[in-house]
């Protein structure tokens, strides 16, 4: 399973990248705004910086909602760097745009996916990644991990090549559950990735090993 970091914060991207386990980055308009990045020029410049830090895929989201504008914007985003993947919302115009991008070999990430039906449409449109939002499904008391399992089962039966990117990950437990459910990728805040490190027995064991050798 690939690990993407879900942030537009350059320090956190660098920190995750230095761990050596980072396969890519996802952002969204809210995450960009959180870093104070708004307006076309600043957004493009910021994507350029992110794409220069990591070797893996960097999802850059279109802000247009109309097919023609989405295509124009997506093509511009794809031109920023080789590792840019155009993030497109699961709408009627989005499906048309993803089909267009697939024909041009421009890779896409279909975002705002909340049902198996939407995931089937995304795969049919030839998207590279489909992003079901685990945490936001949980927020409305449905089961985000169950959705990942359902999509994984359908994709395996149908032989779809689209990769399942479990998004809206909110905890280390979500990462483990997404791995068990068949996600190909998780995208997560740095805190949940680092949370995977924690185990009290590791701390106790290390302290004992060091103490036994007279080291602190
Ligand atoms: O980028 C999409 C997604 O990961 C958002 O997460 O926590 O805002 O639901 P969250």
């Amino acid at each position: 399973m690939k690990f993407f970091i879900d942030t537009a914060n350059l320090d956190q991207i660098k920190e995750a990248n230095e761990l050596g386990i980072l396969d890519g980055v996802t952002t969204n308009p809210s995450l960009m705004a959180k870093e104070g990045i708004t307006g076309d020029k600043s957004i493009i410049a910021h994507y350029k910086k992110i794409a220069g830090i990591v070797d893996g895929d960097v999802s850059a989201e279109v802000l247009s909602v109309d097919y023609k504008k989405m295509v124009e914007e997506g093509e511009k985003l794809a031109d920023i760097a080789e590792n840019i993947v155009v993030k497109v919302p699961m709408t009627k115009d989005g499906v048309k745009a993803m089909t267009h991008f697939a024909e041009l070999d421009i890779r896409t990430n279909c975002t705002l996916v909340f049902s198996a039906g939407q995931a089937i449409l995304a795969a049919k449109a030839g998207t590279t990644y489909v992003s079901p939002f685990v945490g936001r499904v949980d927020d409305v008391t449905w089961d985000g991990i169950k959705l990942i399992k359902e999509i994984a089962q359908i994709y395996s039966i149908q032989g779809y090549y689209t990769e399942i990117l479990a998004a809206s990950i909110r905890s280390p437990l979500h990462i483990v559950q997404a791995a068990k459910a068949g996600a190909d990728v998780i995208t997560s805040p740095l805190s949940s990735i680092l949370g995977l490190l924690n185990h009290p027995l590791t701390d106790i064991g290390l302290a004992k090993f060091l103490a036994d050798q007279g080291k602190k």
Side-chain angles (χ1 to χ4, degrees):
M1 187 173 78
K2 292 185 215 168
F3 271 52
F4 289 0
I5 187 168
D6 197 28
T7 185
N9 181 288
L10 299 180
D11 290 334
Q12 291 189 14
I13 293 169
K14 283 179 198 152
E15 188 178 338
N17 199 40
E18 279 162 13
L19 283 173
I21 52 107
L22 193 67
D23 301 297
V25 179
T26 54
T27 61
N28 62 40
S30 308
L31 292 171
M32 290 295 250
K34 206 170 149 195
E35 300 307 314
I37 312 293
T38 53
D40 292 359
K41 274 192 185 157
S42 321
I43 289 175
I44 291 195
H46 203 69
Y47 280 136
K48 222 175 243 168
K49 285 184 193 161
I50 297 175
I53 297 171
V54 297
D55 292 332
D57 290 345
V58 176
S59 287
E61 187 156 345
V62 295
L63 292 172
S64 311
V65 288
D66 154 90
Y67 167 69
K68 273 197 180 149
K69 287 190 179 147
M70 243 182 215
V71 162
E72 241 171 66
E73 194 185 346
E75 288 179 8
K76 231 184 245 171
L77 290 172
D79 275 347
I80 296 174
E82 290 252 311
N83 53 343
I84 291 284
V85 173
V86 181
K87 204 170 174 189
V88 179
M90 171 38 76
T91 59
K92 196 171 169 190
D93 287 57
V95 168
K96 265 174 82 176
M98 284 184 280
T99 310
H100 167 85
F101 290 133
E103 279 161 9
L104 295 183
D105 279 333
I106 291 176
R107 292 172 314 130
T108 55
N109 173 358
C110 179
T111 188
L112 291 168
V113 167
F114 295 92
S115 76
Q118 291 179 325
I120 291 172
L121 260 186
K124 286 291 289 175
T127 190
T128 316
Y129 298 105
V130 66
S131 287
F133 279 29
V134 173
R136 291 194 197 182
V137 171
D138 286 357
D139 287 344
V140 293
T141 68
W142 291 342
D143 188 336
I145 292 297
K146 206 165 151 194
L147 175 61
I148 301 291
K149 267 187 213 153
E150 199 183 356
I151 298 171
Q153 188 189 8
I154 293 168
Y155 278 20
S156 144
I157 291 168
Q158 296 297 329
Y160 292 142
Y161 59 81
T162 294
E163 291 186 52
I164 302 167
L165 195 170
S168 186
I169 290 286
R170 305 270 178 79
S171 66
L173 180 60
H174 265 163
I175 299 178
V176 174
Q177 289 173 326
K180 278 170 73 178
D184 299 292
V185 191
I186 54 97
T187 190
S188 162
L190 182 62
S191 56
S192 298
I193 296 174
L194 295 180
L196 292 172
L197 288 166
N198 298 335
H199 201 290
L201 290 179
T202 304
D203 301 337
I204 292 167
L206 182 61
K208 178 148 179 25
F209 286 154
L210 295 180
D212 288 348
Q213 280 296 327
K215 294 180 192 285
K216 272 198 180 172

